[in-house]
Amino acid sequence: MGVLPVPAEVRAILLDIEGTTTPIAFVQETLFPYIKDHVKEYLCAHWEEEECQRDIRLLRKQAQEDSSLDGAVPIPLESGSGEEELEQVIQAVVDNVHWQMSLDRKTTALKQLQGHMWRAAYATGHVKGEIFEDVVPAIRKWREAGMKVYIYSSGSIEAQKLLFRYSTEGDILELFDGHFDTKIGPKVESESYRRIAASIGCATNNILFLTDVPREANAAEEADTHVAVVIRPGNAGLTDDEKSYYSLISSFTELFLPSST
């Protein structure tokens, strides 16, 4: 590692979140446990609200699609026959959410409910988004040099914005020119990076993608996107081949922009 020169044609830097801007431990030990521990409480408090009902409909539709999978948890329809039935339906939603999370599912239905729950947690101060200390100063420097900075994460765009709005560094949403989630495509498919480039209005080789996941790095490279793999505390280890193949950084400060003097 050390200093990594950014190719001269790069005009935009695309950032992963988990393991890149934010410790994996924050996601695994704070955000996800919050959902598991509070989902029933949240559903009971918000069940009658239209937003919550939209979330339930999406989860029920996903449950129908998942019906052939081992351990899948169906979510029954309400017939309006009383409190006991409502309690059973709510418990089915809780069990479905726990089942999906146990498999690390990234369905839109699950992500949407999680995003709404995290919004409430951030707004009340129960959760603050953790950011590595090198991130904000580096992004400010990139922007001063004329770079555009974007986020691409498997978490919903709403969840991304909450993390950065209610972060340990304050509200840093202004540092980002745009956000992408898996609605644009899976992070392990090269076509997703072509779509992002088209959305940004540049060529794929005008983008540098920073991620901690080699499979994502490989997909981006297949689309002719520049890549650096980020080594952070708590990230999964790399094989010797991956270490020798990829450009590696352990801090955003290690990126050297062509315009830097």
Side-chain angles (χ1 to χ4, degrees), residues 190 193-194 203-207 218-226:
S190 57
Y193 300 89
R194 297 187 185 97
T204 52
N205 72 344
N206 296 141
I207 298 172
N218 186 55
E221 276 200 335
E222 286 179 1
D224 199 27
T225 296
H226 296 284

Side-chain angles (χ1 to χ4, degrees), residues 34 39 41 99 110 122 138 171 186-187 190 194 203 209 232 260:
Y34 182 87
V39 62
E41 173 190 335
W99 172 72
L110 177 62
Y122 281 116
D171 184 349
K187 296 174 75 181
S190 57
R194 297 187 185 97
F209 178 46
R232 298 284 200 183
S260 301

Side-chain angles (χ1 to χ4, degrees), residues 80-89:
S81 61
E83 288 295 318
E84 186 175 341
E85 181 201 54
L86 176 59
E87 191 171 322
Q88 290 172 349
V89 174

